[in-house]
Amino acid sequence: VPGARSRLRTVPQITTVVMVMFENRSLDSVLGWLYRDSQPKAVFPRDSSPRFEGIPADATNAYHETPYHPALGTHGMPQPCRVPNIDPSEGLPHVKKQLYADAYGKLPNSEPWDQKPPMTGFVWDFDEVYTQNVEVMGAYSSDQLPVLSGLAKNFAVSDRWFSSAPTQTDPNRAFSICGTSLGGEVNDDLDGKTFATANTLFNVLGDAGKSWGIYWQTDGGLAAGSPAFDVYTPYFFPRIAAAKNGGVHPYHTFLDSLKKGALPNFCFIEPKWGGGIGVPGDPLAWVGFQGNDYHPPAWIGPAESDLNALYDALVQSPQWPNLLFIVTFDEHGGTWDHVPPPAATPPDTN
């Protein structure tokens, strides 16, 4: 890519990258109010818009004739730290409606992907599956997410990052590991054999002489989406087992290596998987697993606490001066967002 070398030299001191990928939140859901009363002091690239793509004043989704607007924070909702109280639909058929449907659930056509999405169907889709509920547009305030917001304001935040595919966890994590979902559109399209021959990021790093590590906080089971005692990432992407210069370890190994200044070049942290289902008609009830991945409808508190602990451990490490810490989410997971995602380049013939 022309100019790539000069851009990469922006941070020539980086020798270690630590990446943690959380679950199912849009930018509007967790950082939409980040610059409500101000604007960033600096933007990059320098020709970018100086305005942060936060929640606009006229943001709305409607259900029939009833418009809904995001409130500043979720304080008035029954469970303000567990919004939305029912997990929104995440698969591609539902995301299509979230992005393209109008207030009556009407799509412009059956396959509208070549059109710019109006981002108007989130409330409709939530009602179609569960109940008409403004919580799908819930937008946390900075004081409710002080750790995530603090990192975003004091370091850098991207308001132009989009998940690779308009769908749920497994296809998007496949894109992050393999650069493709091999045509998989929903979680049920993928299993431990789908990517048996697919090359991975970790194989490429190993072949390039770089060291790596995958550090898990849940070793499989219902919450992870992989069989019990099969860690998610190596289960779904089995070629990792042949990758050089790295390995798969429990999270405490990461913390031990971090203290010693002995982390590999690339560290990928799997969260403690969470999520579940809310109980329609009872905003105080839910059934599922409490993780630290921000996944609705579980509580956000453990995610904030554990992210803060991770950050504290990083800054106290001897590797901190030469370390890049990346915090990201795999997809919007059905939570409302107002910015239309751009067209993507197909990675292959699938």
Side-chain angles (χ1 to χ4, degrees):
V1 178
R5 181 177 298 274
S6 63
R7 287 200 297 275
L8 291 173
R9 289 175 63 84
T10 303
V11 283
Q13 78 277 19
I14 298 302
T15 56
T16 302
V17 177
V18 174
M19 179 177 179
V20 57
M21 181 176 285
F22 291 126
E23 285 284 302
N24 297 34
R25 291 289 179 180
S26 67
L27 182 73
D28 284 347
S29 177
V30 290
L31 294 175
W33 300 114
L34 184 67
Y35 283 102
R36 174 174 172 259
D37 300 315
S38 63
Q39 288 299 324
K41 295 179 180 179
V43 296
F44 187 86
R46 291 180 179 85
D47 58 352
S48 301
S49 168
R51 186 179 68 85
F52 180 69
E53 282 278 11
I55 297 172
D58 59 350
T60 185
N61 262 204
Y63 181 82
H64 291 185
E65 302 300 319
T66 304
Y68 288 101
H69 308 276
L72 176 56
T74 62
H75 305 280
M77 298 180 184
Q79 295 281 13
C81 292
R82 199 174 61 75
V83 171
N85 72 318
I86 301 176
D87 188 25
S89 299
E90 310 159 13
L92 186 142
H94 286 280
V95 176
K96 182 195 297 186
K97 296 174 185 176
Q98 293 161 14
L99 271 57
Y100 287 99
D102 62 15
Y104 296 87
K106 182 180 179 181
L107 296 167
N109 56 64
S110 61
E111 296 298 330
W113 300 110
D114 60 344
Q115 303 177 40
K116 181 179 179 179
M119 312 298 285
T120 50
F122 287 86
V123 173
W124 169 270
D125 182 69
F126 198 73
D127 176 81
E128 185 179 43
V129 179
Y130 300 115
T131 180
Q132 187 178 343
N133 192 322
V134 74
E135 286 203 350
V136 75
M137 296 182 72
Y140 288 101
S141 59
S142 294
D143 67 300
Q144 290 180 301
L145 297 175
V147 180
L148 195 64
S149 298
L151 290 173
K153 264 203 170 178
N154 287 282
F155 292 94
V157 58
S158 174
D159 61 357
R160 299 298 302 173
W161 181 92
F162 301 89
S163 58
S164 298
T167 186
Q168 59 199 136
T169 292
D170 295 351
N172 273 302
R173 286 186 176 256
F175 268 98
S176 74
I177 300 298
C178 300
T180 177
S181 69
L182 296 179
E185 296 182 354
V186 294
N187 286 352
D188 288 345
D189 291 340
L190 311 178
D191 58 30
K193 299 178 182 178
T194 305
F195 297 93
T197 61
N199 210 21
T200 78
L201 172 66
F202 304 100
N203 298 86
V204 173
L205 286 169
D207 289 344
K210 300 297 182 181
S211 57
W212 59 271
I214 297 170
Y215 302 92
W216 52 268
Q217 298 181 65
T218 307
D219 60 343
L222 281 175
S226 57
F229 310 113
D230 274 330
V231 178
Y232 177 95
T233 301
Y235 167 77
F236 275 100
F237 311 105
R239 278 205 67 190
I240 289 174
K244 305 172 185 175
N245 299 323
V248 181
H249 311 282
Y251 183 60
H252 68 79
T253 304
F254 170 84
L255 296 176
D256 292 342
S257 298
L258 181 62
K259 285 182 181 179
K260 299 173 184 176
L263 288 179
N265 298 124
F266 180 68
C267 305
F268 184 75
I269 299 175
E270 262 192 37
K272 181 180 180 182
W273 302 90
I277 56 173
V279 180
D282 185 352
L284 302 181
W286 71 286
V287 178
F289 301 90
Q290 179 62 62
N292 65 1
D293 57 358
Y294 291 92
H295 195 310
W299 297 93
I300 58 171
E304 283 280 286
S305 177
D306 288 354
L307 177 57
N308 187 63
L310 171 57
Y311 169 73
D312 282 346
L314 291 171
V315 299
Q316 294 173 39
S317 168
Q319 288 179 267
W320 176 248
N322 305 102
L323 190 147
L324 174 65
F325 180 36
I326 299 173
V327 179
T328 189
F329 290 78
D330 63 345
E331 27 108 356
H332 80 247
T335 53
W336 167 78
D337 198 47
H338 78 279
V339 178
T345 301
D348 48 40
T349 58
N350 296 295

